[in-house]
Structure formats: C-alpha cells, structure tokens
Amino acid sequence: MPVSKRLRYEILRRDNHTCRHCGTAAPAVPLRIDHVVPVALGGTDTADNLVTSCEPCNNGKSSSTVGADLVSDVAEDAMRWAAAMQRAADNLLEQEKPKQEYRQVFLAEWNAWGRGEGAARQAFPLPAGWKTSIERFRTAGLPAWVWEEIVDTSMGYESVKAENKFKYCCGIAWKQIHALQAEARSHLAPAAVNLTEAGATGDVDALAVETAILLWGQEWASFLPGPTPEQEAEFRTTAHEALASGRTPATLVQAAEHGAWFSTADARQALQHLDDQHTFTRQYVAHSVFEHAWHFSHGEAPTKEVLDVLWANCTQFYEAGAHPVRVILLDDSQHEQEPVSWRRSRWTCAGQGLGV
C-alpha cells in the first residue's frame, strides 16, 4: 500500500528533508520515503518504520535488512514525533474547550424549548451555520449566561415562525453586544468635570468640552428624551478626540447645537454638520449677492446656465476677497448715471482679474 501524501510530508518534515542513510539534503538529491524494514520482510507503513532516503541510497538498499542502530534511531524519532503531535493535539483541545462550553450553554437553553409532548416532542430547527454565529457572539464578548434570557424572549413570541427563531435570537444578541460596548466606552471616557472646576484650573479644553456638553444636552432635551449617560459619554469622548486632532474649543462649542439638531451623540458628526453648514452658507450668500449684482449690471436676471456657473465659482470669488457687494455699492453710490454696459464691463474685468 503506497504511503499517503500527508504521511510523506510528515516524514520529510520530521527528518528535516535529509537522507537518514548518507546525510545528503534536498535539493542536492531527490528524496524518497523509504521503509526501514522492507515491506517484503514484514515492514509496515507506520511512521516508526519510515525514513527519508535519497534516491541513490534507496536504489542501493533494495530489500536487504538494515542495522539495528538505524531501526532504533528511527523508532525513537517516531516516538518523539508522536509525543509532539499529541501535545499539539492537547493544546488544540484546550483551545476548543471554551468554544465547546459556550456552545453547550446556548444549546441547552435552545433545546429546553420545543413543540409537542413526550416522544413526539421536537426541538426548534437550527440553521446550518449556527455554530459559526454562536462563536462570533463569544468572541464579541457576549456572556454565556445571557443566552437564557435571549432564547426565552425569542421563544416567547409566537408570532416569530419556528424557522426564524434563531435569527430573532441573533438580533437580540447583537443589541446586547452594542449595549455592552456602549457601557464599556463610557468607562473609558474622560472623567466629567463641572464648569467651575474647569474654569478654576484654567484647562481650556476641559472647559470647552463641558460647555459644549451643557449646550448640547439642553438643546437635545428640548425636543428629544435624554440624553442618556451613554450618549453623553460618547459625546465627551469624541469631543476630546476632536480637540486632540486640532479642532478649536470655539468651534467645538459652536458645533454642540448642531449635534442636538441632527440627533447625534457624536461630536465628530456634530463638527461635520457645522462644517457643511458653513460651506453651504458661504456658497449661498456669495451666490445670492453675485446674482443680485448680475441683475444690476445686466438689467435682467441671469439665465439658468449662468446661475450654474455662478454656483460653481462664487465661493472662490467670495473667498478671494472681492465680495460682489462692493460692485453693487460702487454702481449705486458713485456711478448711478453710468450706462448699464459700463457697469457690466467693470464687473467682468473684476472677475477676470481674480481668475474667476
């Protein structure tokens, strides 16, 4: 019977890809798996009777017997290898124990429910990948004891079909994990200080954070329940992170109300809403004034094509320091008698001068 590929690989690795007869190693010579005691003389295909042999040694050996020293050496290597494999298997089993124990807790709770009575009783079906899902919950940190309540809740809803019971359990489990994660984040959040303490210590960042939380919380409570301690902790943590990343205390305080308006407990998102609002305001104001100036300069409202171009460029024009209001004031106060074409020429030149 030929030696399996798996056993061949293990023998080669055990012998460090070196011929046990002459000591030549690969790739200098082709290597074979040789029987210490030939099959013709009763040798077996077990690891303690197999050895790595180069092709010349293997061809010269034929079915002759080998010395007792080599047989003893190979047998000793095989025993060491077997012991090492056993230790590896024991370690693997030790690693699997927590998985098995966690899975058994879930399975015991699941199998406590079923349909029918006596011998006709049947457990609710589990999907093919249920073990993988349970392992995800274990590694995510969901305690095993929580499964009793989760399974009982799922089974208690008769409106949930039997084939959807496990999916419903998973939904509850993920909610539990999110709640645990939120609480964990609150434990890691920077400690809260009151405004008096922050002001007394002169810590501008701490004062800004607590002021922002006060404004945000009051605005939030005016139209939403809360905020909860978890939401407040989330806002405080992300507020400190924003200051550490270079945001100014004044900007953080200004963004606090935006966080409440957009129902977010994350200071990063509140700051993003503030940035978006500033961008839109700059574009809208500049666009509106530009449109008004165009109307005064041309005697009519701009077309849609012109408006599209204005919207794309008016922010650049505004931030370049040439606000269209200056053109309007110039036309109204100093050149009221000039023809519209003159005013239009000045406006066009101003725009070209700025590269707009």
Side-chain angles (χ1 to χ4, degrees):
M1 182 178 180
V3 177
S4 68
K5 291 182 179 180
R6 176 65 181 177
L7 183 55
R8 170 185 168 80
Y9 170 76
E10 296 296 345
I11 299 301
L12 287 170
R13 187 168 68 165
R14 182 198 69 190
D15 294 343
N16 198 27
H17 295 79
T18 302
C19 176
R20 295 297 295 271
H21 297 286
C22 68
T24 306
V29 293
L31 296 178
R32 303 286 184 265
I33 299 302
D34 190 16
H35 290 83
V36 177
V37 178
V39 175
L41 299 177
T44 64
D45 288 333
T46 57
D48 59 352
N49 191 48
L50 294 173
V51 67
T52 301
S53 174
C54 68
E55 192 171 77
C57 289
N58 186 55
N59 292 337
K61 174 179 169 291
S62 187
S63 293
S64 60
T65 58
V66 296
D69 292 341
L70 181 58
V71 174
S72 175
D73 187 28
V74 171
E76 185 177 344
D77 284 349
M79 290 179 64
R80 286 199 300 268
W81 178 252
M85 288 294 290
Q86 184 60 49
R87 286 195 299 272
D90 292 342
N91 290 338
L92 182 60
L93 179 60
E94 196 66 25
Q95 294 173 11
E96 288 293 317
K97 270 186 180 180
K99 300 179 185 179
Q100 297 289 344
E101 292 172 356
Y102 188 88
R103 188 184 303 165
Q104 287 303 317
V105 171
F106 164 79
L107 205 56
E109 299 297 338
W110 182 269
N111 290 334
W113 293 81
R115 294 173 293 186
E117 299 292 338
R121 183 180 181 280
Q122 292 183 341
F124 288 99
L126 282 168
W130 73 271
K131 293 181 181 178
T132 302
S133 297
I134 294 299
E135 177 59 14
R136 288 198 189 102
F137 292 124
R138 185 186 75 85
T139 56
L142 185 68
W145 56 265
V146 178
W147 283 111
E148 179 179 2
E149 181 180 354
I150 292 176
V151 173
D152 288 351
T153 301
S154 177
M155 298 301 181
Y157 284 107
E158 296 182 358
S159 58
V160 179
K161 296 182 179 179
E163 60 270 22
N164 293 331
K165 293 286 188 183
F166 181 75
K167 185 177 181 181
Y168 195 83
C169 280
C170 291
I172 300 175
W174 281 120
K175 288 183 179 179
Q176 292 275 15
I177 289 174
H178 293 156
L180 287 171
Q181 291 173 343
E183 183 177 353
R185 283 195 295 271
S186 70
H187 295 319
L188 295 175
V193 296
N194 60 47
L195 293 176
T196 303
E197 291 174 351
T201 60
D203 189 337
V204 177
D205 284 356
L207 184 61
V209 169
E210 297 309 316
T211 302
I213 289 176
L214 179 62
L215 293 173
W216 166 77
Q218 289 180 342
E219 187 68 26
W220 181 290
S222 67
F223 58 92
L224 286 174
T228 65
E230 292 78 12
Q231 290 168 331
E232 183 175 324
E234 178 73 10
F235 191 94
R236 177 175 284 104
T237 299
T238 53
H240 279 285
E241 291 174 354
L243 291 175
S245 69
R247 291 287 193 163
T248 65
T251 303
L252 176 64
V253 172
Q254 190 178 5
E257 286 186 318
H258 286 73
W261 295 342
F262 289 95
S263 304
T264 174
D266 187 332
R268 289 188 300 265
Q269 295 176 7
L271 286 162
Q272 185 60 56
H273 289 311
L274 177 63
D275 293 342
D276 293 343
Q277 181 63 38
H278 284 171
T279 299
F280 177 79
T281 300
R282 287 195 302 271
Q283 291 177 337
Y284 182 77
V285 170
H287 174 270
S288 298
V289 176
F290 204 115
E291 181 181 352
H292 191 58
W294 181 282
H295 185 89
F296 268 78
S297 181
H298 290 69
E300 59 184 3
T303 63
K304 181 181 182 303
E305 291 75 12
V306 172
L307 285 175
D308 291 341
V309 174
L310 294 183
W311 185 259
N313 294 286
C314 63
T315 301
Q316 179 185 354
F317 191 88
Y318 177 77
E319 293 181 347
H323 199 295
V325 168
R326 299 173 184 171
V327 178
I328 298 173
L329 292 176
L330 180 63
D331 289 341
D332 290 344
S333 62
Q334 300 180 19
H335 300 274
E336 293 180 356
Q337 306 304 319
E338 287 184 356
V340 171
S341 59
W342 293 10
R343 297 198 297 271
R344 180 166 59 241
S345 299
R346 285 201 316 280
W347 176 247
T348 304
C349 290
Q352 291 176 348
L354 289 167
V356 178

